[in-house]
Amino acid sequence: MNNLRSAIIIPTYNGGLLWKKVAQSINKHYKGPVIVIDSGSTDNTINIAENNGFEVYRIKPEEFNHGRTRNYGVSLASSKCDIAIFLTQDAILQNDEAVSGLVEMIQDDDKLAAVYGKQLPHDDANPLATHARYFNYADSGYILDEKNAKALGLKSVFMSNSFAAYRVSTFQEIGGFANNTILCEDMLYAATALSSGFKVGYQPNSRVQHSHNYSAVEEFRRYFDIGVFHMDQSWIGQRFGGAQSAGSNFIRSELTYLAKNAPYYIPLALINNSAKLLGYKLGKKYNLLPRGIVRKLSMHKKFWK
């Protein structure tokens, strides 16, 4: 099989100093086109992109949407590549296999629609963020079709656009990302791909540094939006399994990890997990709440305009 061409697509908005490190890591570990879609940055983000030789396209801030903006990126890149690599402005490539490992994995299986890579914690990650990376990104990879997806439950449709590769021909066949989802456009795509007879995978040898030290309020708002997504796309849970068992497994793992490595973080973990649970439950009932309240509770406030 001929080598498939790839292109990196990155939505940006006020990337700051971390974006400069990301751009430098791309030039160090990747040779190929890089397309940046900026939604109104007021800092040095565009200059950094241009100085690193990236193609820059501008959209208005109100035009940004997780799915629609990435669909636009694929439309810009489709003549340049067979595989679209999505990266976020805060994900630092860690090795030469970061992109090539994803590409080779897709190249070896023409039914493989998408593959995500391993995420490691940033240098300033707190114990909660560090555990989350190690829990969600194992050392062993996999390729799934719908038949063997049942064993992993909801984890089978996990896909992170912070660092993931998509076969462009399959992307176009499926119809790309949903244009109107609040977040988790990557999970919705993975579920659609599996349901359409394609496969999804995970490549742990392809690595980026990417994590967040979320506060309890940020966790509440983020999980409120996840609840909204699961309410709107309830068929995913019905077909592949719900989030309850995955959440319970995470909490047990987190408390065990903290007891061994950072017991003083256990109170914060309990607060954050309570915030997640409350946010998620409210998000799943968002249609019963006044729209003004929903917007205040949500992390992605522009979605509700």
Side-chain angles (χ1 to χ4, degrees), residues 32 40 59 65 83 122 133 170 179 197 201 213 228 237 242 259 266 275:
I59 61 174
N65 172 273
I83 298 177
H122 279 304
R133 295 304 97 177
T170 305
N179 286 321
N213 294 330
V228 170
I266 289 178

Side-chain angles (χ1 to χ4, degrees), residues 5 35 73-82 168 172:
R5 302 167 301 158
I35 293 172
V74 173
S75 72
L76 295 170
S78 59
S79 64
K80 303 178 176 70
C81 71
D82 307 292
V168 172
Q172 294 170 334

Side-chain angles (χ1 to χ4, degrees), residues 174-190:
I174 290 176
F177 297 121
N179 286 321
N180 60 344
T181 183
I182 189 169
L183 79 178
C184 296
E185 78 291 340
D186 38 19
M187 175 179 281
L188 178 56
Y189 183 92

Side-chain angles (χ1 to χ4, degrees), residues 1-301:
M1 182 183 291
N2 294 328
N3 289 333
L4 298 181
R5 302 167 301 158
S6 64
I8 290 179
I9 301 169
I10 312 172
T12 59
Y13 176 73
N14 288 346
L17 295 176
L18 187 54
W19 165 234
K20 185 175 183 179
K21 293 182 180 179
V22 173
Q24 291 171 342
S25 76
I26 293 171
N27 277 331
K28 179 179 180 180
H29 296 295
Y30 177 73
K31 306 300 178 186
V34 180
I35 293 172
V36 169
I37 305 171
D38 189 82
S39 53
S41 289
T42 56
D43 65 358
N44 206 31
T45 296
I46 291 177
N47 288 337
I48 291 171
E50 291 176 338
N51 289 340
N52 280 276
F54 304 160
E55 300 177 33
V56 178
Y57 298 85
R58 295 170 172 84
I59 61 174
K60 296 177 181 178
E62 61 270 20
E63 293 175 339
F64 175 82
N65 172 273
H66 288 286
R68 183 171 58 246
T69 300
R70 288 180 170 89
N71 287 338
Y72 176 49
V74 173
S75 72
L76 295 170
S78 59
S79 64
K80 303 178 176 70
C81 71
D82 307 292
I83 298 177
I85 311 291
F86 289 107
L87 197 69
T88 50
Q89 65 184 21
D90 57 349
I92 304 172
L93 299 183
Q94 292 296 290
N95 56 1
D96 291 338
E97 291 183 71
V99 172
S100 65
L102 300 182
V103 172
E104 290 168 7
M105 195 169 179
I106 289 183
Q107 186 170 270
D108 290 341
D109 189 337
D110 60 8
K111 296 297 289 183
L112 193 53
V115 177
Y116 69 100
K118 186 180 181 68
Q119 296 183 25
L120 303 171
H122 279 304
D123 294 340
D124 65 348
N126 66 29
L128 302 184
T130 298
H131 166 264
R133 295 304 97 177
Y134 293 142
F135 180 85
N136 289 319
Y137 299 92
D139 291 332
S140 56
Y142 60 77
I143 294 176
L144 299 175
D145 58 21
E146 188 170 13
K147 290 181 180 178
N148 57 26
K150 303 296 184 182
L152 285 183
L154 195 64
K155 175 69 174 177
S156 65
V157 294
F158 181 83
M159 183 67 55
S160 175
N161 274 347
S162 291
F163 181 47
Y166 292 75
R167 186 186 295 272
V168 172
S169 60
T170 305
F171 189 88
Q172 294 170 334
E173 179 178 344
I174 290 176
F177 297 121
N179 286 321
N180 60 344
T181 183
I182 189 169
L183 79 178
C184 296
E185 78 291 340
D186 38 19
M187 175 179 281
L188 178 56
Y189 183 92
T192 303
L194 287 172
S195 301
S196 302
F198 293 100
K199 302 175 184 178
V200 296
Y202 168 57
Q203 172 55 278
N205 295 326
S206 297
R207 300 175 180 178
V208 295
Q209 233 183 354
H210 177 255
S211 61
H212 297 281
N213 294 330
Y214 287 125
S215 68
V217 172
E218 289 170 326
E219 292 285 31
F220 173 90
R221 289 177 172 162
R222 188 166 70 98
Y223 272 79
F224 178 88
D225 290 351
I226 292 173
V228 170
F229 171 79
H230 284 175
M231 174 64 185
D232 288 345
Q233 304 294 338
S234 58
W235 69 272
I236 295 177
Q238 294 166 5
R239 188 156 187 162
F240 296 97
Q244 184 173 355
S245 61
S248 299
N249 291 338
F250 177 87
I251 292 172
R252 284 195 294 270
S253 173
E254 182 180 61
L255 292 177
T256 300
Y257 174 86
L258 293 176
K260 293 180 179 178
N261 298 283
Y264 48 91
Y265 263 86
I266 289 178
L268 181 58
L270 295 175
I271 293 171
N272 280 16
N273 285 319
S274 297
K276 290 178 186 178
L277 180 61
L278 178 60
Y280 182 75
K281 287 186 174 295
L282 284 174
K284 291 199 73 175
K285 297 183 181 299
Y286 81 94
N287 54 350
L288 302 178
L289 302 173
R291 184 54 61 94
I293 297 297
V294 168
R295 191 168 184 271
K296 288 182 179 179
L297 298 179
S298 174
M299 177 176 277
H300 298 89
K301 301 184 186 304

